[in-house]
Amino acid sequence: MTNYAEFHQRSITDRDAFWGEQAQLVDWKVQPTHICDYSNPPFARWFAGGVTNLCHNAVDRHLKDRADQAALIFVSTETNQERVYSFRELHAEVQRMAAILKGLGVTKGDRVLIYMPMIAEAAFAMLACTRIGAIHSVVFGGFASGSLATRIEDAAPKVIISADAGSRGGKPVAYKPLLDEAISLSSYKPESVLLVDRGLVPMAMVAGRDKLWADLREQNMNTVVECEWVDATHPSYTLYTSGTTGKPKGVQRDTGGYAVALAASMKHIYCGEAGETYFSTSDIGWVVGHSYIIYGPLIAGMATIMYEGLPTRPDGGIWWSLIEKYKVTVMFSAPTAIRVLKKQDPALLKKYDLSTLKALFLAGEPLDQPTAQWISEGLGRPIVDNYWQTETGWPILSICKGVDDSPTKFGSPGKAVYGYDVKLLDETTGEELKGANQKGVVAIEGPLPPGCLQTVWGDDARFVSTYWTTIPGRMIYSTFDWGIRDEEGYYFILGRTDDVINVAGHRLGTREIEESISAHPNVAEVAVVGVADQLKGQVAMAFAVVKDASLIADEASALKMEGEIMKIVDKDLGAVARPARVRFVTVLPKTRSGKCLRRAITAVCEGRDPGDLTTMDDPAALQQIKDLINS
Ligand code: AMP
């Protein structure tokens, strides 16, 4: 086993040699002339001069050795479908989809928005985009028309690919009406909408704009679409994520750096080998779905499972049964999902042969000790917590199993991953905290390693001001997370420094929820905070000041208004963003300069001491919240 400290050190101090070697894990049409061009910080141009294609690396290059091996395993316990696509079949489907997109006028650099459930066609769509150099922008299927409209407006896609419906717990969830509404809300209009009709709900088609995938596929059964070779720095996709302000940011990813970062991570972190099966339980709407359902496993020549359904249906053993059936060697999930499974019959964990599984990786939110312990004992396999972000595309902190045999520690996502020069900084002075066990902001010295965001889509200035200028006196990337590091270099993540909350692994901006709630005609002002929750990690709680108190004079009318607000959020952002409760107050706790004391509200909701309140304008405001919580 390599000495990990040296391995990590070399990735920072001998950066170009290190990444130059990793670059050989992928295919290049033209080899890069520069490994990292950091002449214009904080913009890093990885593998500049290189020419490659993501879809080629994920699909075509495996045809030589493994054309008939499984590539994409689609399993839906919602519609009871199961289908294994070999690399050859995946290649054919991706070419058909690519031909359809070209036929709809999509060319290199055009955006294609994908608003789809977890079906194989969504994977074809993503790969077809990168095949022809189009930039995909996948929007999570759980988002509703308001969220979707903002993303359509920002991405300006030539084509949107969608479906009639998703399905949850056996019930169809219509997508098409939400999409139609989002398009009508957006001032930008796509030229075409391509629809996969699953036959779950009827779809109203808009003449001239809407086309059926099945019809166009039929016309392109044998159309050959070669990969469009693109510069390593050509954007492969954008993925929107929430931050402090209400407007989501389009995280923009490159091509060459991303391919190399994923290929290297499959080797050094996940230990996935070609011919094996990877099972990530995430959704393609999130970054984990991009990196570790679609691109990472396929680049490594592995089969990847795409699962549509709940972890508990038909029973809590479904995921374990898939491990047995498809001989899964690497599994990736989120703590919330494991907490859900923990409530199921423990015998289900022993019912299946899980001997192929090398490790279970968990990410997206803090992994609590009882959950880690339960699953570690139940599986008898290493449980590896990873910490990363949509922005980075692959882990910042982990135990890199392929090059480090250090043990994991409960509560810690491990050490800084190679390529990441992680620092803890003092929030007010920006000074580096070098000693052990000091709390600081987790920051990364530039350049960010390959695979991380290149910029914010269409807004370089926002990229710089959001991530690189928040720490006084330093041009360094802020993760917006608090952390500490122990004597052995293990980090512990202590929560966000900003107004982002994490509900069941879903990242939500409290400002977005506040903006949505403010649309209710009787809401004058509202504060949304994240409050600790046993199952979901955090839930959103809203405290609203009403314009006309007579409308919530009794409990029944207050409940009615709470219901109306929840409906607004459901319709605008989606049920994922719905607050657990909306409570009514006459005033919000604020500083004398008018800043809402969200951290104090959170503390009170969690039964903790709200800390220093000397700057608070009206102490009675916080007392009202205390009384509500204790009532
Ligand atoms: P997302 O961009 O949706 O992946 O969310 C990223 C945020 O989720 C991070 O900034 C952290 O706040 C949180 N997060 C992700 N992984 C972990 C982890 N392993 N432990 C603690 N927090 C995590």
Side-chain angles (χ1 to χ4, degrees):
M1 186 67 59
T2 332
N3 174 331
Y4 182 70
E6 274 173 24
F7 188 81
H8 180 267
Q9 186 61 25
R10 183 165 173 258
S11 74
I12 307 298
T13 52
D14 202 2
R15 187 180 67 210
D16 285 9
F18 180 91
W19 285 109
E21 287 161 20
Q22 307 304 318
Q24 299 317 311
L25 293 168
V26 305
D27 277 3
W28 297 93
K29 183 80 174 165
V30 178
Q31 286 284 335
T33 48
H34 291 74
I35 299 301
C36 180
D37 169 7
Y38 200 48
S39 54
N40 180 27
F43 300 92
R45 295 175 70 248
W46 281 97
F47 307 112
V51 175
T52 186
N53 181 286
L54 209 49
C55 179
H56 165 84
N57 276 291
V59 183
D60 300 44
R61 72 163 172 157
H62 302 304
L63 294 176
K64 188 162 58 68
D65 297 329
R66 52 191 81 258
D68 295 310
Q69 283 182 17
L72 181 69
I73 301 169
F74 166 61
V75 179
S76 173
T77 50
E78 295 290 332
T79 54
N80 292 320
Q81 283 170 295
E82 200 156 325
R83 164 109 201 244
V84 180
Y85 296 86
S86 65
F87 278 99
R88 192 194 307 282
E89 289 166 321
L90 181 60
H91 183 240
E93 290 296 354
V94 170
Q95 288 195 82
R96 287 169 197 145
M97 187 68 90
I100 295 172
L101 291 176
K102 284 186 115 176
L104 295 174
V106 176
T107 56
K108 182 179 156 191
D110 284 341
R111 274 80 57 216
V112 173
L113 190 138
I114 299 173
Y115 180 60
M116 293 178 90
M118 285 287 288
I119 52 178
E121 291 82 354
F124 307 157
M126 291 168 73
L127 290 160
C129 287
T130 47
R131 186 172 195 81
I132 62 172
I135 302 166
H136 61 68
S137 189
V138 182
V139 177
F140 175 54
F143 281 136
S145 49
S147 306
L148 186 53
T150 329
R151 287 154 174 81
I152 294 173
E153 191 89 52
D154 196 71
K158 188 171 261 180
V159 173
I160 296 181
I161 311 181
S162 190
D164 57 338
S167 180
R168 201 173 156 77
K171 291 193 198 77
V173 182
Y175 278 33
K176 182 67 174 26
L178 297 182
L179 175 61
D180 285 339
E181 193 177 334
I183 295 174
S184 72
L185 287 172
S186 162
S187 63
Y188 174 86
K189 312 288 175 199
E191 283 173 24
S192 311
V193 173
L194 183 65
L195 292 152
V196 176
D197 187 357
R198 309 176 72 192
L200 294 177
V201 294
M203 267 193 295
M205 301 290 278
V206 175
R209 186 196 74 183
D210 295 357
K211 277 125 197 149
L212 285 175
W213 167 74
D215 292 349
L216 298 183
R217 177 179 178 271
E218 208 55 43
Q219 297 163 20
N220 286 287
M221 286 308 281
N222 301 308
T223 316
V224 173
V225 179
E226 298 293 352
C227 289
E228 172 91 30
W229 298 104
V230 297
D231 288 343
T233 54
H234 178 71
S236 56
Y237 69 79
T238 63
L239 179 59
Y240 288 85
T241 190
S242 303
T244 301
T245 58
K247 188 174 173 260
K249 294 180 285 283
V251 162
Q252 179 182 317
R253 198 91 63 209
D254 72 357
T255 298
Y258 189 51
V260 172
L262 293 183
S265 73
M266 293 306 296
K267 187 172 168 199
H268 305 311
I269 302 177
Y270 299 104
C271 306
E273 301 281 341
E276 297 179 352
T277 305
Y278 198 105
F279 179 22
S280 166
T281 68
S282 183
D283 186 286
I284 48 148
W286 306 116
V287 66
V288 178
H290 284 63
S291 295
Y292 298 113
I293 295 177
I294 307 296
Y295 293 111
L298 292 175
I299 286 174
M302 296 178 80
T304 182
I305 297 181
M306 198 169 175
Y307 175 77
E308 181 187 47
L310 301 175
T312 48
R313 212 171 155 268
D315 64 39
I318 176 66
W319 285 356
W320 316 127
S321 79
L322 292 175
I323 294 182
E324 177 182 279
K325 182 165 181 188
Y326 293 107
K327 301 191 171 37
V328 171
T329 58
V330 188
M331 183 172 176
F332 192 124
S333 193
T336 294
I338 305 302
R339 284 192 289 266
V340 167
L341 292 175
K342 199 165 136 205
K343 297 189 163 175
Q344 306 289 309
D345 180 357
L348 290 167
L349 254 173
K350 300 278 167 232
K351 196 172 154 191
Y352 300 95
D353 177 5
L354 307 179
S355 60
T356 52
L357 192 68
K358 295 187 240 184
L360 167 65
F361 293 83
L362 296 172
E365 54 180 317
L367 173 60
D368 57 288
Q369 176 151 348
T371 305
Q373 204 148 1
W374 176 80
I375 192 69
S376 150
E377 284 164 12
L379 285 180
R381 292 285 179 285
I383 306 300
V384 187
D385 183 1
N386 294 175
Y387 158 83
W388 47 297
Q389 308 180 304
T390 305
E391 287 84 348
T392 64
W394 62 289
I396 304 168
L397 301 175
S398 182
I399 293 295
C400 298
K401 299 293 289 174
V403 279
D404 188 3
D405 55 9
S406 304
T408 52
K409 286 189 189 181
F410 279 130
S412 166
K415 310 177 205 170
V417 167
Y418 58 87
Y420 289 94
D421 192 3
V422 181
K423 305 258 159 87
L424 287 177
L425 304 180
D426 183 286
E427 183 194 26
T428 43
T429 64
E431 261 168 52
E432 187 179 346
L433 305 170
K434 293 200 170 149
N437 303 318
Q438 288 176 284
K439 178 178 167 182
V441 180
V442 180
I444 305 164
E445 196 74 70
L448 292 174
C452 295
L453 81 168
Q454 288 181 292
T455 186
V456 169
W457 173 253
D459 203 343
D460 286 348
R462 193 168 175 209
F463 170 64
V464 178
S465 64
T466 304
Y467 298 104
W468 297 88
T469 59
T470 52
I471 294 162
R474 290 292 302 270
M475 175 47 109
I476 190 165
Y477 174 88
S478 173
T479 62
F480 296 98
D481 280 302
W482 294 111
I484 55 169
R485 181 181 53 229
D486 70 10
E487 303 76 15
E488 292 174 304
Y490 286 70
Y491 285 80
F492 295 79
I493 297 296
L494 307 172
R496 297 280 302 196
T497 64
D498 59 4
D499 295 323
V500 165
I501 61 171
N502 195 319
V503 179
H506 301 331
R507 173 165 159 186
L508 302 167
T510 51
R511 296 292 162 92
E512 273 174 272
I513 308 174
E514 287 170 4
E515 278 174 24
S516 181
I517 293 176
S518 300
H520 189 286
N522 197 26
V523 170
E525 217 186 346
V526 60
V528 170
V529 296
V531 176
D533 179 80
Q534 281 229 316
L535 184 67
K536 297 180 172 180
Q538 275 185 312
V539 290
M541 286 282 266
F543 294 91
V545 178
V546 295
K547 288 179 187 159
D548 181 354
S550 70
L551 296 176
I552 53 156
D554 55 59
E555 208 177 316
S557 45
L559 276 174
K560 182 169 163 280
M561 180 162 164
E562 181 174 9
E564 287 165 7
I565 289 176
M566 290 192 179
K567 272 207 194 96
I568 290 178
V569 177
D570 278 6
K571 198 160 172 288
D572 188 20
L573 302 177
V576 283
R578 183 198 305 155
R581 287 298 314 261
V582 183
R583 312 299 296 260
F584 300 107
V585 289
T586 55
V587 59
L588 290 171
K590 288 189 182 168
T591 61
R592 272 176 223 113
S593 56
K595 201 167 170 282
C596 182
L597 289 160
R598 288 188 179 74
R599 283 189 207 177
I601 302 179
T602 305
V604 164
C605 291
E606 293 179 350
R608 290 184 286 113
D609 175 6
D612 180 12
L613 295 174
T614 45
T615 60
M616 188 155 75
D617 189 28
D618 175 7
L622 201 59
Q623 191 57 44
Q624 272 193 43
I625 293 180
K626 254 188 212 160
D627 294 344
L628 276 174
I629 297 296
N630 297 327
S631 65

